[in-house]
Amino acid sequence: MEVIIAVLVIVIAVFAVTTLVKSVRIVPQQRMDVVERLGKYKRTLSPGLNLLVPFVDAVRTKVDMREQVVSFPPQPVITSDNLVVSIDTVLYFKVVDPVRATYEISNFLQAIEQLTVTTLRNVIGSLDLERALTSRDQINKHLSSVLDETTGRWGIKVTRVELKAIEPPPSIRDSMEKQMRAERERRATILNAEGHKQAAILTAEGEKQSQVLRADGDRQARILQAEGQAKAIRTVFDAIHQANPSQKVLAYQYLQALPQIANGTANKVWIVPTELTKALEGLGGALGGLANMVGDVPSQNIDSGAVEREAAAAAEAAAAEANKINAEVRAAEAAVSGGADDVTAALPAPDRIPPASALGSADYHETKEVEKG
């Protein structure tokens, strides 16, 4: 009898503990428990300590209210240019209504996966490969809007959809790599050409500036040299006219200038022995006339115009005398070719050169007037 009473007490104690356990429910943070009473939805347990009616209330589902991330396997998708690409997607979602997520759909995760695949095929099917590779943001936004609109009635909020990878076929990848390599080589060639162009432009600019500076230096040097020569000539000219040199000095300078007048590649002067006496006679007459020059005293007062006129007259007389001597020499050459005996008869007797006229002096005219008087 005592044994039966002991067993009964143990059974009652176990039943009491079990009842207590079933009547107390502790729900952690960010989780919601859906409770049913006799198979019908009763209430949703919030985080914390909750009491249930034992053997009457039961927890149907435990819903995680945190944002969840799920990665779907690669899906083959055909683009508008008939290329099959493999696309991996990543979905971010959270449950906002645990009751609807429990009773509106049996498996919301599988439903979201299938909806994502179908929507992705519709979107990618309207794009070619180039646009699909460069329009990820647009595809993500479109997928997010479609999924959020559809899963809203399930008590689920799709926060974000990302395309993790878009893998074209191997042949297309090889072609894309070749195209990318060619594009990079083209850019490198263009950049190299631009560098050579800039270098050539800078080199040309440097040469231009150096030539300009060199030309400017040469110009300045020539200007300074010309100014120095002009100053030297002016100094010599002023010194000569201030000294008022005598006519004898001018005659001596004239005689020294005669060989330079006849010297040259185009001037050929032949002195024939039979005409040497006449040539010396003409020169002696010119030198003899120097003795008759008057006014051979330097003066301090100089008329610049008279000096220039005398110099010009002397130059003209010297040129005429040189032409005359050249003509006589040519006549002598012609006579020599005809015979040595006819040389004297072929050449005309040279006129006596008036020295004062050859020197361009005004004293010659005065002397002629005195002699005529």
Side-chain angles (χ1 to χ4, degrees):
M1 185 68 181
E2 294 179 358
V3 175
I4 296 174
I5 295 174
V7 173
L8 185 60
V9 171
I10 293 172
V11 171
I12 294 173
V14 171
F15 178 76
V17 171
T18 304
T19 302
L20 181 62
V21 170
K22 286 184 175 294
S23 63
V24 176
R25 176 70 62 176
I26 298 176
V27 180
Q29 185 68 31
Q30 292 295 327
R31 199 185 78 180
M32 303 289 285
D33 293 350
V34 177
V35 177
E36 294 180 350
R37 178 172 292 178
L38 300 178
K40 183 180 179 180
Y41 171 75
K42 178 61 178 178
R43 62 190 178 114
T44 302
L45 301 181
S46 60
L49 180 63
N50 296 273
L51 298 177
L52 300 176
V53 177
F55 306 104
V56 177
D57 295 340
V59 176
R60 169 68 182 271
T61 56
K62 300 176 181 179
V63 181
D64 192 352
M65 303 300 294
R66 295 174 296 179
E67 186 173 3
Q68 303 180 39
V69 181
V70 58
S71 177
F72 299 135
Q75 299 294 329
V77 181
I78 300 176
T79 61
S80 61
D81 50 356
N82 297 324
L83 293 177
V84 179
V85 295
S86 180
I87 300 179
D88 297 345
T89 56
V90 178
L91 181 66
Y92 297 83
F93 71 95
K94 63 184 300 184
V95 178
V96 294
D97 191 349
V99 178
R100 297 174 65 182
T102 303
Y103 295 103
E104 292 292 335
I105 189 168
S106 61
N107 190 346
F108 63 86
L109 188 60
Q110 183 180 4
I112 292 175
E113 179 181 0
Q114 296 301 321
L115 182 60
T116 302
V117 172
T118 55
T119 307
L120 185 63
R121 287 179 178 176
N122 292 333
V123 174
I124 298 298
S126 62
L127 302 175
D128 56 5
L129 181 60
E130 295 293 335
R131 292 183 59 189
L133 293 175
T134 58
S135 304
R136 292 194 177 188
D137 292 338
Q138 298 179 3
I139 297 173
N140 295 336
K141 291 179 181 178
H142 185 72
L143 287 175
S144 297
S145 62
V146 172
L147 293 175
D148 187 51
E149 181 181 358
T150 304
T151 59
R153 65 176 181 268
W154 300 339
I156 297 171
K157 174 68 176 178
V158 177
T159 58
R160 188 165 186 168
V161 179
E162 291 290 341
L163 299 182
K164 186 168 62 175
I166 300 177
E167 296 292 338
S171 59
I172 302 300
R173 287 201 301 267
D174 295 339
S175 300
M176 293 174 63
E177 290 177 0
K178 292 180 181 179
Q179 181 181 0
M180 186 179 300
R181 190 180 301 111
E183 181 68 20
R184 291 180 177 177
E185 291 178 356
R186 183 182 68 86
R187 292 180 181 178
T189 303
I190 292 175
L191 292 177
N192 191 14
E194 289 290 337
H196 285 298
K197 176 182 176 181
Q198 294 295 332
I201 291 174
L202 294 178
T203 302
E205 289 291 337
E207 292 179 356
K208 175 184 176 181
Q209 293 180 2
S210 64
Q211 291 179 2
V212 169
L213 294 176
R214 193 180 298 109
D216 186 67
D218 294 340
R219 182 178 66 86
Q220 294 293 337
R222 291 181 181 179
I223 291 174
L224 295 177
Q225 185 178 4
E227 290 179 354
Q229 292 179 356
K231 185 175 182 180
I233 293 173
R234 184 165 55 251
T235 302
V236 173
F237 185 79
D238 293 340
I240 292 173
H241 284 281
Q242 288 179 3
N244 193 13
S246 63
Q247 298 296 331
K248 294 180 180 181
V249 175
L250 297 177
Y252 178 71
Q253 294 292 331
Y254 166 70
L255 292 177
Q256 286 184 344
L258 286 178
Q260 297 179 359
I261 295 174
N263 187 16
T265 57
N267 298 328
K268 295 181 180 179
V269 181
W270 297 84
I271 304 298
V272 183
T274 56
E275 296 298 324
L276 182 59
T277 304
K278 294 183 179 181
L280 293 175
E281 182 180 355
L283 294 176
L287 294 174
L290 297 175
N292 297 326
M293 294 182 180
V294 295
D296 199 13
V297 179
S299 62
Q300 297 298 328
N301 297 326
I302 299 174
D303 187 2
S304 299
V307 172
E308 292 179 357
R309 289 192 296 273
E310 290 179 4
E316 292 178 358
E321 189 65 23
N323 292 331
K324 182 177 180 180
I325 294 175
N326 192 10
E328 291 178 358
V329 171
R330 292 184 181 276
E333 291 177 356
V336 169
S337 62
D341 296 335
D342 298 335
V343 171
T344 306
L347 294 173
D351 296 334
R352 185 173 181 272
I353 301 174
S357 176
L359 295 176
S361 174
D363 296 337
Y364 170 74
H365 300 286
E366 295 178 358
T367 305
K368 294 294 290 182
E369 291 178 358
V370 171
E371 288 179 359
K372 287 181 180 181

